[in-house]
């Protein structure tokens, strides 16, 4: 997670403040047997900072840590240039200042608030002479900033106390506030040295503005003989014949152009209206930064209170008398469709009256996509200790985990918004509901196509299922899965246990398979299954199994919705993406809730079986 530049220190009770360390940002991944220790751009630090790694191996917990490697000069002040020359200073005083916790003992912590993560970090971290917990102060940013100035440190970091950890994103919830103006720039060329100077005269600097590499000044100061020689040796390997700039800048001296691969940090007095740095002074090369990340990012000055009240990216809403903070509303969840997290929340609120009856009192398996559908998702069953008090949960013993799991269930709009805000794009409820979780309210037949099936194959299979059901005087109700399959529901009325329902589903599916042996299979194993056959999945009728709810969005391109259908609509040419976030509400209003019977009186399994035997 990255911080945006900010102009002024401020006080705010919703924020905390940390020292801005002048070092290398580093992730320590101790989640597996072998440790990983690497920079923001993935460069391994295992050999370069071996002393830190030795102390990391003393940690008692499996963790992923975020922090900064800091080197200190003789006065005990952080010194970035010394850090770069660690090979020449083997006895250099080092610390790894750890300020965040991303993962702990098998569980991601990225969607806990910052203060919750830091509380866990303080408990979990084993501090050593090198590894240190980076503490903070709440609210009093101005006083803290003045103290940093007296200590001649680089500045401070302001962080929103309830901020989630969002990988790779530069957000308004983490801000960096510095005493001197410093920026990263890309080295794009160099001039010849004058007089007795060796190496080069000045570096030609650039950064990306609207995707184009753009000239932003040059610097000839801040170097010593050693750095002149070292940088010159590296630049000679990058020499190219033509300028990397689309618009070639005017310079007083001839320029040798280089591939724009090296990043330098400079300090400067101000930036002109044309975007040129005034009085730039070289500070150091930044091995931990990628050129593509060096974009126009001037410090912002904003009234924090006004920002909080007017930001479109975060808002407070009140639903069912509960206040919910909705964060990162502009975050893109469906990149190819431009659909945001805010759009997902808005969709669910618009259809809440229709979907809530199918979620009410049902434990949920949370499928979370905190960074959208193209980034890593994870499943969560246990509610954890950090949910709001008003969120309803139920404790269920899990044989496979040999422990009680605290499941969330969703009975109102407030909980729905809270779950969507956590990154739950689809809603996945149990087939049974409280108070009786042992007896499902409905049976589910899941028609799951293999690689070489078309959706028309799935439709043919669904129509055959309906034919079997009709012959046995059983009413079934179908819906698109919202992905590649079709789900068929049969009301059970809570009269039978899971084993009875599963066995009945198995008998029905065997009958379908007998009628369509060429395109259907009951083979569960993917390795053994024919890739031209639709899998007739009856095992969705076991305790704790979940499927995407009626009217649920699906984390698929096109933002499709799992939509109930009338049997007459099930025709070749139909596509799962025909029903999506944009048109679902209009269709539901037009058709009404055609799935309502699945929550009503259940079928008589014995009568159905008698009819089956007569066929």
């Amino acid at each position: 997670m990255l911080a945006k530049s900010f102009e002024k220190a401020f006080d705010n009770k919703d924020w905390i403040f940390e020292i801005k360390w002048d070092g290398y940002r580093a992730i320590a991944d101790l989640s597996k047997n072998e440790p990983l220790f690497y920079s923001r751009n993935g460069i391994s630090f295992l050999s370069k900072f071996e002393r830190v790694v030795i102390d990391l191996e003393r940690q008692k917990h499996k963790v992923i840590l975020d922090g900064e490697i800091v080197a200190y000069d003789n006065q005990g002040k952080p010194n970035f240039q010394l850090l770069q020359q660690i090979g020449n200073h083997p006895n250099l005083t080092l610390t790894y200042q750890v300020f965040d916790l991303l993962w702990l003992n098998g569980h991601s912590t990225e969607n806990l608030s910052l203060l919750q993560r830091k509380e866990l970090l303080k408990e979990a971290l084993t501090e050593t002479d090198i590894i240190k917990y980076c503490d903070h102060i709440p609210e009093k940013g101005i006083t803290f900033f003045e103290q940093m100035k007296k200590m001649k440190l680089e500045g401070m970091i302001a962080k929103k106390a309830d901020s989630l950890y969002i990988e790779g994103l530069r957000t308004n919830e983490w801000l960096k506030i510095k005493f001197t103006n410093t920026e990263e720039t890309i080295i794009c060329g160099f001039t010849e040295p004058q007089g007795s100077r060796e190496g080069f005269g000045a570096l030609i600097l650039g950064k990306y503005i609207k995707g184009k590499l753009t000239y932003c000044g040059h610097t000839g100061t801040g170097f010593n003989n050693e750095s002149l020689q070292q940088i010159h040796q590296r630049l000679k390997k990058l020499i190219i014949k033509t300028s990397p700039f689309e618009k070639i800048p005017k310079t007083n001296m001839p320029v040798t152009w280089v591939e724009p691969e090296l990043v330098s940090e400079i300090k400067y007095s101000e930036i002109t209206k044309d975007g040129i740095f005034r009085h730039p002074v070289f500070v150091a090369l930044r091995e931990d930064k990628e050129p593509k990340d060096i974009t126009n990012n001037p410090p912002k000055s904003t009234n924090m209170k006004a920002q909080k009240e007017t930001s479109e990216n975060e808002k407070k809403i009140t639903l069912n008398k509960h206040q919910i903070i909705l964060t990162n509303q502009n975050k893109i969840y469906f990149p190819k469709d431009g659909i945001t997290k805010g759009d997902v929340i808005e969709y669910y609120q618009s259809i809440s009256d229709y979907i809530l009856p199918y979620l009410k009192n049902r434990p949920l398996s949370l499928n979370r996509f905190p960074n959208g559908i193209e980034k890593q998702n994870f499943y969560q069953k246990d509610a954890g200790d950090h949910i709001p008090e008003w969120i309803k949960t139920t404790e269920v013993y899990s044989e496979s985990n040999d422990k009680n799991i605290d499941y969330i269930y969703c009975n109102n709009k407030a909980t729905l918004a809270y779950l969507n805000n956590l990154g739950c794009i689809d809603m996945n409820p149990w087939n049974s509901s409280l108070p009786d979780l042992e007896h499902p309210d409905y049976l589910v037949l899941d028609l799951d196509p293999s690689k070489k099936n078309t959706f028309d194959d799935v439709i043919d299979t669904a129509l055959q299922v309906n034919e079997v059901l009709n012959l046995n005087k059983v009413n079934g109700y179908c819906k698109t899965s919202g992905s590649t399959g079709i789900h068929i529901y049969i009301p059970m009325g809570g009269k039978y246990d899971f084993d009875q329902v599963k066995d009945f589903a198995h008998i029905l599916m065997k009958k379908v398979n007998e009628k369509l042996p060429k395109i259907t299979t009951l083979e569960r194993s993917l390795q053994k299954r024919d890739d031209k056959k639709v899998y007739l999945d009856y095992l969705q009728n076991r305790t704790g199994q979940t499927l995407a709810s009626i009217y649920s969005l699906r984390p698929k391109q096109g933002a499709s919705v799992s939509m109930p259908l009338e049997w007459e609509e099930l025709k070749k040419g139909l596509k799962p993406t025909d029903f999506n976030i944009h048109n679902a509400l209009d269709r539901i209003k037009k058709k009404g809730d055609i799935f309502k019977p699945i929550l009503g009186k259940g079928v008589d399994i014995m009568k159905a079986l008698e009819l089956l035997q007569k066929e």
Side-chain angles (χ1 to χ4, degrees), residues 274-293:
D274 299 329
I276 306 299
F277 292 108
R278 292 197 66 197
H279 313 123
V281 177
F282 176 82
V283 176
L285 288 180
R286 297 300 308 231
E287 310 285 0
D288 56 334
K289 303 289 175 78
E290 291 281 6
K292 63 181 174 61
D293 295 331

Side-chain angles (χ1 to χ4, degrees), residues 38-276:
Y38 54 89
S39 72
R40 252 183 59 190
N41 53 355
I43 296 171
S44 177
F45 284 150
L46 288 174
S47 57
K48 189 170 185 175
F49 297 107
E50 191 175 0
R51 279 186 285 153
V52 180
V53 176
I54 290 168
D55 274 23
L56 284 172
E57 290 173 348
R58 293 168 58 185
Q59 295 301 307
K60 296 171 185 173
H61 295 276
K62 288 189 177 296
V63 290
I64 300 177
L65 308 171
D66 190 356
E68 193 134 350
I69 308 166
V70 185
Y72 300 84
D73 61 20
N74 294 332
Q75 284 75 46
K77 183 182 171 185
N79 188 308
F80 184 77
Q81 287 179 319
L82 278 178
L83 190 64
Q84 287 196 305
Q85 299 160 15
I86 188 169
N88 302 327
H89 303 274
N91 298 319
L92 194 65
T93 302
L94 282 179
T95 64
Y96 178 44
Q97 296 285 346
V98 185
F99 48 70
D100 216 324
L101 176 70
L102 281 63
W103 190 89
L104 174 64
N105 295 333
H107 300 282
S108 171
T109 57
E110 292 184 14
N111 281 279
L112 300 178
S113 72
L114 172 63
L115 285 184
Q116 289 166 346
R117 297 197 305 273
K118 293 202 77 168
E119 284 171 19
L120 287 173
L121 173 62
K122 199 168 187 178
E123 291 293 321
L125 190 71
T126 301
E127 289 195 278
T128 68
D129 289 341
I130 291 177
I131 296 171
K132 301 293 183 184
Y133 170 74
C134 176
D135 215 336
H136 61 271
I137 67 127
E139 189 175 348
K140 304 294 183 185
I142 295 172
T143 303
F144 185 69
F145 192 66
E146 288 303 314
Q147 188 63 33
M148 296 301 98
K149 196 169 187 178
K150 287 177 186 174
M151 295 169 68
K152 296 184 178 178
L153 296 177
E154 195 186 17
M156 74 175 184
I157 299 288
K159 296 179 179 178
K160 205 155 185 298
D162 63 358
S163 59
L164 310 183
Y165 192 100
I166 305 164
E167 293 178 18
L169 206 63
R170 197 177 296 280
T171 81
N172 290 319
E173 298 189 340
W174 284 19
L175 304 171
K176 54 186 176 184
I177 307 163
K178 299 181 284 189
F179 302 115
T180 55
N181 295 321
T182 63
E183 278 283 343
E184 282 92 35
T185 57
I186 305 164
I187 301 174
C188 300
F190 61 92
T191 61
E192 292 300 309
Q194 298 291 305
S196 61
R197 183 163 173 161
E198 295 182 355
F200 58 86
L203 298 177
I204 306 301
L205 308 174
K207 57 172 46 186
Y208 286 100
I209 299 175
K210 294 182 179 179
K212 292 182 179 179
L213 188 62
T214 306
Y215 173 71
C216 60
H218 62 273
T219 179
T221 59
F223 308 99
N224 56 29
N225 288 333
E226 185 182 4
S227 61
L228 280 169
Q229 291 299 327
Q230 287 178 349
I231 295 169
H232 189 231
Q233 290 303 313
R234 294 187 65 175
L235 291 175
K236 285 196 292 186
K237 297 175 184 177
L238 300 174
I239 290 173
I240 54 177
K241 292 181 179 178
T242 57
S243 168
F245 298 115
E246 192 174 296
K247 183 180 178 181
I248 301 174
K250 291 180 181 179
T251 55
N252 295 328
M253 301 284 292
V255 176
T256 301
W257 301 109
V258 296
E259 293 280 4
E261 292 184 8
L262 294 181
V263 175
S264 65
E265 183 175 339
I266 61 164
K267 54 186 179 182
Y268 62 94
S269 59
E270 62 180 337
I271 301 175
T272 69
K273 289 180 180 178
D274 299 329
I276 306 299

Side-chain angles (χ1 to χ4, degrees), residues 28 64 187 204 226 284 320 408 419 428 516 527 551:
I64 300 177
I187 301 174
I204 306 301
E226 185 182 4
N320 309 112
I408 290 174
L419 294 173
N428 299 278
L516 290 176
Q527 287 74 27
Y551 309 124

